[in-house]
Amino acid sequence: MTTDYFAGDTRTNQERMLAGDLYIADDPAIAEAQQSAFSLTARFAEVFPRDVDAAQEIARELFGSFGDEAHVRAPVWVDYGSNVHIGARTFVNFNLTALDVATITIGEDCQIGPNVQLLTPTHPIEPQPRRDKLEAAQPITIGNNVWLGGGAIVCPGVTIGDNSVIGAGAIVTRDIPANVIAVGNPARVVREI
């Protein structure tokens, strides 16, 4: 017997997703938005080795907002791209994975190391809803002048305060205040800056 998780809810799965509620990713509008993002990331990766400046113009199409003098290196991997907002003068190194089911905001003057993962999706802990393909997402907010070391992973719902540094390989599972260094798994504040 299948559970009707959305009884009485007339919204589409895309509307539920955008509201941050549980949804199932079988909405044609979701698939269309993802396909558009996949095409743009492929174009970005193709153009980047030949013309870095032209690639940045493609990045402006891909991301929800792209600040002046921001720079992203290829490749990048996104679900939608439109939910990623990159501040002015921010540098994003190779191989960013930004699963932007919810909004990802990266402030100004940030340094994002290679192989960083910004992961907004969540899945139910209970086995049956997870088996039934329910999911949701929580936004990620990265303040101004933050440095995320190579391979850092930022989990759903996390906010990192201005000027903070996240060590290479750290897994950030909870909010990090401004003006600190955090390292480890899970990431813990080791000192103030």
Side-chain angles (χ1 to χ4, degrees):
M1 185 168 106
T2 305
T3 302
D4 184 358
Y5 294 100
F6 308 120
D9 184 347
T10 60
R11 298 177 296 168
T12 66
N13 277 307
Q14 185 182 42
E15 290 169 333
R16 289 185 199 99
M17 179 190 85
L18 294 172
D21 296 331
L22 287 171
Y23 73 100
I24 298 172
D26 68 353
D27 190 308
I30 291 173
E32 183 179 327
Q34 287 179 331
Q35 190 60 53
S36 175
F38 300 158
S39 295
L40 282 169
T41 57
R43 238 176 73 212
F44 177 72
E46 179 188 347
V47 170
F48 187 85
R50 295 190 320 268
D51 189 339
V52 172
D53 293 333
Q56 300 314 297
E57 290 307 311
I58 297 169
R60 286 186 188 289
E61 290 179 56
L62 174 62
F63 297 117
S65 60
F66 194 76
D68 291 340
E69 299 178 47
H71 182 89
V72 178
R73 288 184 166 178
V76 296
W77 310 100
V78 297
D79 277 327
Y80 304 97
S82 58
N83 295 324
V84 177
H85 302 276
I86 299 175
R89 300 170 305 281
T90 285
F91 175 79
V92 177
N93 215 323
F94 301 109
N95 217 33
L96 171 69
T97 298
L99 300 186
D100 61 321
V101 175
T103 301
I104 297 173
T105 304
I106 303 171
E108 297 180 349
D109 301 298
C110 292
Q111 301 290 321
I112 308 299
N115 300 307
V116 164
Q117 298 178 50
L118 307 175
L119 311 175
T120 69
T122 63
H123 300 277
I125 299 298
E126 297 78 20
Q128 190 59 50
R130 193 171 61 249
R131 186 174 291 117
D132 292 339
K133 308 302 182 211
L134 290 176
E135 57 186 273
Q138 297 175 3
I140 292 173
T141 303
I142 299 169
N144 296 320
N145 198 34
V146 169
W147 175 18
L148 299 181
I153 298 173
V154 181
C155 292
V158 166
T159 295
I160 299 173
D162 293 347
N163 304 314
S164 286
V165 175
I166 306 300
I171 301 178
V172 186
T173 61
R174 60 182 60 148
D175 291 353
I176 301 294
N179 303 303
V180 299
I181 297 173
V183 300
N185 176 14
R188 300 197 189 295
V189 174
V190 293
R191 76 174 175 95
E192 293 183 359
I193 300 175

